[in-house]
């Protein structure tokens, strides 16, 4: 948790009071707040230029392969430019995605932990039938966030408040969920 405000001694006292205590999700984040996600993307191993950078395949009759870059650079400067697409590692990169809106905040043991809304009052759990693939059943607090998050299931994700001052209409609007699909 990032600690802001006050002197250095105040920050240290605040942090030491939190040692060996549970920090709940709702004490850090709120509904309709914009947050950033930081994670390692899914690893895909070594890939060629067509998959890794999306360059166009060469014609069918090309000598020595067609899933290549046609020209990797001019004679001079007599070195490769950094911007030329090359084969190599694809995925398993550290990425920060900004401005994700928090749609719902579920606390363990409370009425809001389920998937019911003001418009859909059916009593259903947030976990779909059979559990989330490769994850299982949600038993603890959770955040419902708009959009995708980098990485695989069960991979640690760092969530932080947005560093930018939010002024756009989409960031400031209040979200009222009408239905959560758990099929």
């Amino acid at each position: 948790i990032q600690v802001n405000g006050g002197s250095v001694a105040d920050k240290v006292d605040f942090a030491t009071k939190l040692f060996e205590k549970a920090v709940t999700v709702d004490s850090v984040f709120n509904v309709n707040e914009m947050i950033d996600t930081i994670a390692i993307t899914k690893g895909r191993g070594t890939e060629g230029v067509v998959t890794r950078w999306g360059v166009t395949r060469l014609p069918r009759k090309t000598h020595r392969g067609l899933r290549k870059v046609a020209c990797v650079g001019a004679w001079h400067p007599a070195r490769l430019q950094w911007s030329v697409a090359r084969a190599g590692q694809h995925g398993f990169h550290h990425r920060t995605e900004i401005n994700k809106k928090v749609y719902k905040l579920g606390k363990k043991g409370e009425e809001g932990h389920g998937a019911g809304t003001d418009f859909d009052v059916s009593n259903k759990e947030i976990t779909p039938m059979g559990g989330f693939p490769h994850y299982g059943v949600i038993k603890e607090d959770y955040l419902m966030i708009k959009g995708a998050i980098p990485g695989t299931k069960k991979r640690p994700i760092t969530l932080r408040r947005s560093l930018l001052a939010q002024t756009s209409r989409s960031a400031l609007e209040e979200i009222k969920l009408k239905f959560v699909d758990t099929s």
Side-chain angles (χ1 to χ4, degrees), residues 10-175:
D10 294 339
K11 292 179 186 179
V12 171
D13 290 340
F14 177 76
T16 52
K17 288 177 187 169
L18 291 177
F19 282 163
E20 297 184 1
K21 290 185 180 150
V23 178
T24 58
V25 175
D26 61 337
S27 67
V28 182
F29 300 113
N30 300 316
V31 178
N32 296 318
E33 186 179 20
M34 299 295 264
I35 64 173
D36 301 340
T37 61
I38 305 165
I40 306 295
T41 59
K42 267 185 197 177
R44 293 174 174 89
T46 304
E47 294 282 11
V49 287
V50 174
T51 302
R52 191 178 185 213
W53 298 108
V55 300
T56 308
R57 288 172 50 213
L58 297 173
R60 179 186 58 82
K61 295 174 77 171
T62 307
H63 185 49
R64 295 199 184 107
L66 51 83
R67 295 178 64 87
K68 298 173 176 285
V69 175
C71 177
V72 293
W75 193 306
H76 287 291
R79 66 192 73 86
L80 280 172
Q81 298 290 319
W82 65 269
S83 58
V84 176
R86 304 291 278 167
Q89 174 69 33
H90 188 206
F92 207 71
H93 302 302
H94 188 269
R95 293 290 179 261
T96 301
E97 293 191 4
I98 63 171
N99 294 343
K100 304 250 181 220
K101 192 167 196 98
V102 177
Y103 277 174
K104 187 171 167 61
L105 196 146
K107 280 192 62 66
K108 177 184 173 186
E110 286 188 8
E111 190 177 317
H113 192 267
T117 62
D118 294 338
F119 299 93
D120 176 32
V121 292
S122 59
N123 188 16
K124 57 185 178 181
E125 286 297 314
I126 195 70
T127 307
M129 289 169 37
F132 283 99
H134 303 286
Y135 182 81
V137 178
I138 294 181
K139 299 173 187 158
E140 299 295 324
D141 298 352
Y142 67 89
L143 284 175
M144 186 184 293
I145 299 173
K146 179 181 181 180
I149 290 180
T152 62
K153 280 83 173 168
K154 299 186 179 181
R155 181 163 287 168
I157 302 163
T158 303
L159 301 174
R160 71 175 183 208
R161 286 193 177 148
S162 180
L163 300 178
L164 308 169
Q166 299 299 328
T167 57
S168 68
R169 290 183 70 128
S170 61
L172 299 175
E173 75 175 335
E174 297 285 322
I175 296 295

